[in-house]
Each structure stands twice: as structure tokens, then as C-alpha cells.
Amino acid sequence: MPNWTRRRWLGAAALGGGAAVWALRPGETGAPHAARFQVLTRALRQAGLTQPTLVLDRAQLQANARQVRANLDAALALRLVNKSLPCLPLLDELATLLATERQMVFNLPYLQLLAEQRPRSEVLLGKPFPVAAAAHFLAQPPRSGFDPVRQVQWLVDTPERLAQYRELARQRRQVLRINLEIDVGLHRGGLPDEAALREVIGLLQGEPWLQWSGLMGYDAHTEKIPDVGGLRAEVRAQVQQRYRSCLDTVQASPLARDRALLTLNTGGSPTYRLHRAVGAANEVAVGSALVKPSDFDTPLLADLQPAVWIATPVLKVAAWRAPDGVGALGTLLRGWDRNQRVAHFIHDGHWLAQPDSPAGLHASALIGASSNQQLYLGSGRQGLQPDDLVFFRPTQSESVLQQFGDIAVVEGDRVVAMWPVFPARA
């Protein structure tokens, strides 16, 4: 091949390769706030809220509650998970909409708060308490009229813990209602097999200070495993079979009771729709699904919509310049990706949340997360200016809802209430 021909061929190949590479360049994205977030912005501005704020769309919350109730078998009871809805007015609203006073509680401070402030609540613990925590609660009974003997079910997961609770009940000469945690496949604890179940049956039977009140089996793992080759359906069936087997074992013992008097709890936000009254369980627990953070964007929850966001002001807007030391790399990235042209520094940040509106914002790969002034890059199509708001969608509701003080409750284009949250406790 003559040299001039070779040079022409190489030049064409280089141009073609460059075009192919250039075709991989990210497209420009971004847009101003959608109408929903323009309304929320007006509401927050009219209310004079200038700090990062947790915002709740009350109409959407109510719509989610109605949808959950419509999805549920009418014969199944519903229990609110208060760690995922850590706000008494929020729980009150949902308790009214869903016609339930049943709550699932996960720590001593929240049990004390609920007993004092909402004495009609019927409580099932969502995880086993150390016996010392139970002793502390019983030694300082609520002044509200809440009755721990009648209104609390203590969750027990091992024969050893049951023996501790038996000793506490004997010392206090006080009846304790015992709900047994069973392992239905998650393997996060609970009675793992029939031998352990029979051991606790032996400890319970004939003990006047302990009363068996039901079972609790959490099954969230079924929706996290790969849905390949029917595996998910198989595991769902195993959960039902395991639960039924445990119930049959207890009901065949001297502990047997009328099923209507038992609390047979299962499910959770990811799985509540899988359960029917014809199954072994007679109630499900729901919390996060009612406000729907992004971790709950699953097929079973597709008919529910987000109801909470974090709103935070933009503090600074400028052309993006990477810090000294990586300036050249920053220039390359900005030239390559038009979505890295504009820097937006927000008030605080580094939450369990992702930007939701305006569209097209993303964290910088060159600057790490900041809880003080986090950087988000964009194309500029967002049209943000200092003091404008950015809305983040939480990935979960537990813990996150408690990070911002009172929740701003929005109806229409107005903040109609500020709901206090539970103290931030584990």
C-alpha cells in the first residue's frame, strides 16, 4: 500500500473512531421544578421556612393510606410500624384513616412515649428488648392509664430470653404476654427450628405469670432475592409453610388458644400485599410504604406514591471549577459532560436521600459528600438561583424523618401544620 494511501486510511479511521467516541458523550439533561414542586416551594416560602425541612404532602399520604386499606384483605388487621412513622400526629392521622390502634414499637423510649401520650395503643414489640429494658418500663408504669399487662406483647426469640422474662414476671408477680419471634427464612434471629419452638413451649406451659399471645415472622427477604426461575415464588411459599408449621406446633400443645385471641403478625411494607386471611397470620405491619421513600420503589408497591421530601435552600450557584490539584481533570470532565457545567452548593446535605427536583442534579465525583454544604452539579437547565429550593427524596423513612425538626405538612399550596417528631433515639 503506498504511503499516501496508508495515511489517508489511518486518518479516516481516526476520524471514524473519534466520532464513535464522541457519540458516547452524555446528553445534556435537566429541567426546572415540575408543577408539584413549584407548589411545595410556594407553600414553604409563604411559611417562612428557610432551613432544611422535611415536607409531607398530606393529600398523598391520605391517598396512600386509602390504597393500602383497599389492597388489604378485609379480615386482616393492620399494625403501624412507628419507627418508620416517628411522629405522633402522623401516626394519629394514619390510625384514623386505617382504623387501627395497633402499633409496633422497637425501643424503650418510644414505648414510654406511646404509653404516656397514646394510652389506648395496643403494642407489639418489633424486636426483642433486653430484659433490663422491660424491667425498667414495668418499674415505672405510665400515669396515663396504659396497662402494660393488657396492652404490651413482649417479643421473645430464644429459650434463654424467655427464661429471663419468666424470672422477671415471677419477681414482679405480674403477667407478661409473650409473642414468639419465629425465623421464616430471613435468618436475622427468632426461633430457628421446631426443637427451639418446643423448648419455649415447655417453658411457657404451666407458668402462670407468662401468657402466650401469638407469633411474629418477618419476611422482607422474599422481595430482595433475584426473581429468577420462580425462585421468589418458591421462597414466598416457604415462608407461608414455615409460619403455618410453627402455628400448628403451638396449637397442638397445651398452649393452644382461639386464633381470634392471638396476634399472628407477619409481613411489612415490602410484603404486606402477599398475605391473605386464609393464611396462618391474621395481621400485617406497615410503615414506610405509607410515605414511600425510594427504597420502596418495588412492583408490589407500584400503586403508592412518594409523600415526603427534604427541601433545602441553594446557597451558591456558579460555573463549576474543580478544586486546585484536580483542576485539569475537572476541566476535562466539564468539557466532556455538559451536565457538570454548573455548581450548586446546598444548605447541609449528605442525607440518606437523592435529589428529586429539579431534574438532572447529581453529586460530584471529585468532591466527596458534605453535611455542611454539599455540591450538586447540573447543566444549568434547572435555572436555580441562591435561595431557591432543591427537593430530595429520602431512601428510607426511619431515622431520616427525625433529622429536621418538625415536619411541614402541606395541603394544597399552604403549610397547614408543623408536626413534632419523636426524639432521635436508636
Side-chain angles (χ1 to χ4, degrees), residues 298-317:
T298 66
L300 286 178
L301 302 180
D303 56 359
L304 305 177
Q305 299 300 318
V308 291
W309 293 269
I310 302 162
T312 191
V314 175
L315 299 179
K316 306 165 187 176
V317 180

Side-chain angles (χ1 to χ4, degrees), residues 22 25-26 320-322 326-341 366:
W22 200 249
R25 186 186 186 197
W320 166 231
R321 292 180 59 201
V326 289
L329 178 58
T331 299
L332 285 172
L333 291 172
R334 187 173 64 246
W336 170 251
D337 184 357
R338 289 161 287 185
N339 301 299
Q340 300 196 37
R341 289 177 178 171
L366 292 181

